[in-house]
Amino acid sequence: MSTRSSRWTKYRPVIALSILSMLVCGLAYPLLITGIAQAALPYQADGSQARLGGRAVGSYYIDNGFTLPGFFHGRNETNPLTASASGVDPDITVAEALSQVPRISNATGIARSSLVALVTSHEHWTLWVTGTPYVNVLELNLALIAAYPSSYPGYA
Amino acid sequence: MIDAIQSLIVVAILASTLISGSLLAPYVVRVLTGTPTRLDRLLDPFESAVYRLIGADPKMTMGWREYLFAVIFLNVAQMAIAFAILVGQGVLPLNPQGFPGLSWDLAFNTVVSFGTNTNLQHYAGETALSYFSQMTAIQFLQFTSAATGVCVMVAMVRGLRPGSAHLGNFYVDFVRVLTRILLPLCAVAALVLVALGVPQTIGGYVTVKTVEGATQELLVGPVASLVSIMQIGTNGGGYFGANSAYPFQNPTPVTDVLEIYLMLLLPTTLIFTFGELIGKKKETRPILIGSYGLLAIDLAVAFLGSIPAVGPGIETRFGGFFSTLWTVITTASTTGSLNASLAGINPLGILSAYMGMLVQATPGGIGVGVMYMLMYVVITVFVVGLMTGRTPEYLGAKITARDVKLVMVAFLVHPIAILVPTLAAFATKAVDAIPGFSSLPTSVAFTQVLYEFTSSAANNGSDFLGAAANTPFFNFATAVVMFVGRFVPIAILLALAGSMIGRKRVAEQSLRTDGAAFSFVLIGSILLLVVLTFLPFLILGPLLAYFQGLVNFVG
């Protein structure tokens, strides 16, 4: 009996602190952060969802998987050798976007110059100063639908 | 090569971590020495309740053996809890995707990986772990292993400090590091990350119809709370298999820079605490110049080659520059998170990544980076003593033959833990179980397996193989390497610190260790030691690939 209680005295800090640290770091902390984030920043906390005609159509940060000829396409569908690290990269370079302009123009009848202007006005730079200029594919296509609703019947 | 703007970005990031580190250090010193702070009124009652609940006397002090056993027991007990959670997640709550429990060998690998601050991942979190597991197994061990790193560092420093009588109380150190440093910092960082676009929810994956009408699942979860401790605690294990390349973990270039900064923040802060903790402020200098000097060399090597263009393995929003920068910093701080696929980085970038993991002190993992740098300091003091014919001394204490033997063993643990299993993996043909491995060029294949064990031994966790290495051989071999690579050097360095207690100190050392000259000798001897040990292996891997003209490591 006495050895059992002395053993418990010896191991109690280790066992009790293991459980307690799990409850604090593994449950209390992430749940508290979740609560604050959901209350104060619900849009970001739920994945920065894009909306079209009132319904959620995806996240601005995740490739939306466009395949129709009338839309700009992401880089993740075509060929695994050109794939991004995440496989859901939502962006393409401006050069890649411009190379798709003729196809989109042919499919929708929108003038090439207008499409080029749209791409340019949605250009992002890494930290505004460096890297290869790029566009967010979902943002660009939603702008396309908004600017030319008659070319995209049934979407807006 | 990088242009002027990119060079400025690198300098600005390093300058801001150095400035933040020096500003944060006085507070961290107060926490580690028990000096009163304004937070006491809030936290003292909570901490006293914790000590009563766990039955630990906060006034008790420990020798090195007691401290070490408490560290190992607590870490193993925490791994056991996480193991039970991972194996049993199928019947545990907060599992909206209904993921089954992990296999025994994968769960074993995972808890050792996170319990040793390594975060090597042989699974993809988004398709394998429930919310409950991500929080109570992964985030839990990320906090405790980071806290452990700070504790063992401060214990070692207490032993080295002239006039000290003990290494402190592990339980008190552990609780205070969590409540006063890691939890508050991570809470702030997590909320900033949410504001910048990182999700934080336990509501389950969101199913949407895309613009074109296809069904898509948005893999949201408690991501921000994990990313903050993963970076601040130099853990590196991501919520997603693609780690910080996955946009929900790192949505924009702004979060990318913030996450790079967070990796360096506490390792740099702890360097600045060293002089204060040891009682000789100038002794911070060799540690700081040594670690940041070597980091500058790593960056120069990585940016010497051509930077990869946006292409295979590189995310568009980061480009080749930020992908290479992240790879260097994540290995130099032994964090191991990634914002690109390693296969997309050029061979000189991979060589630089190896240097970070082989030195482990540029600035290295949280706490342990300073310990490794102190190990190199003792070796350098000894070598300089031999060359000048003087008695080697550090912090006023004579460095004895036993001390030198201890640090040499601590140093040699690393090459043995890397090279023996690498050769075993090839000799036993265990590598053949990796899908697609046989079709890789030899230099690439060798680089990937050597990297797996280097990353494990350095408790880094970045890897080429990922879930492809979820085989019984790699799960058990890397788990053993991670455990040995973590706790054997910690044990030896605590033993060294313990043996310094009560040792006679001289007021004036014959060789000064706090000057610039010693710092440069330190950098030289670290490079010499590491290069001599690993050069043949680096030649067979990344250097051969470089001279074969491989642009990156896509096989």
Side-chain angles (χ1 to χ4, degrees), chain B residues 225-250:
Chain B
S225 59
L226 186 148
V227 173
S228 61
I229 181 59
M230 145 192 135
Q231 297 297 86
I232 288 173
T234 68
N235 292 284
Y239 193 96
F240 301 96
N243 211 300
S244 281
Y246 199 90
F248 277 158
Q249 239 186 261
N250 191 5

Side-chain angles (χ1 to χ4, degrees), chain B residues 41-64:
Chain B
R41 267 177 50 193
L42 191 71
L43 288 173
D44 275 353
F46 173 73
E47 287 166 0
S48 307
V50 169
Y51 302 138
R52 268 199 308 280
L53 190 69
I54 67 172
D57 174 9
K59 295 207 170 55
M60 193 189 73
T61 56
M62 298 177 175
W64 75 267

Side-chain angles (χ1 to χ4, degrees), chain A residues 12-13 18 21 26 29 34 38 44-45 55 57 61 63-64 67-68 75 81 83-86 89 91 126 130 155, chain B residues 6 52-54 77-78 135 140 194-195 200-201 209-212 216 225 228 247 311-317 341:
Chain A
R12 179 178 155 192
S18 305
S21 54
Y29 156 78
T34 306
Q38 285 291 331
Q44 292 96 323
R55 73 179 176 94
V57 291
Y61 296 132
D63 182 8
N64 208 251
T67 55
L68 294 176
R75 57 186 288 218
L81 276 181
S84 61
S86 64
D89 189 344
D91 307 313
T126 302
T130 186
Y155 281 99
Chain B
Q6 292 166 332
R52 268 199 308 280
L53 190 69
I54 67 172
Q78 286 162 335
M135 298 193 304
F140 159 50
V194 175
Q200 181 73 25
T201 173
K209 283 255 185 288
T210 64
V211 174
E212 293 187 355
Q216 186 180 46
S225 59
S228 61
I314 305 287
E315 295 285 293
T316 309
R317 63 196 180 285
S341 163

Side-chain angles (χ1 to χ4, degrees), chain B residues 435-449:
Chain B
F437 197 76
S438 52
S439 64
L440 294 176
T442 318
S443 62
V444 173
F446 184 77
T447 298
Q448 297 194 351
V449 173

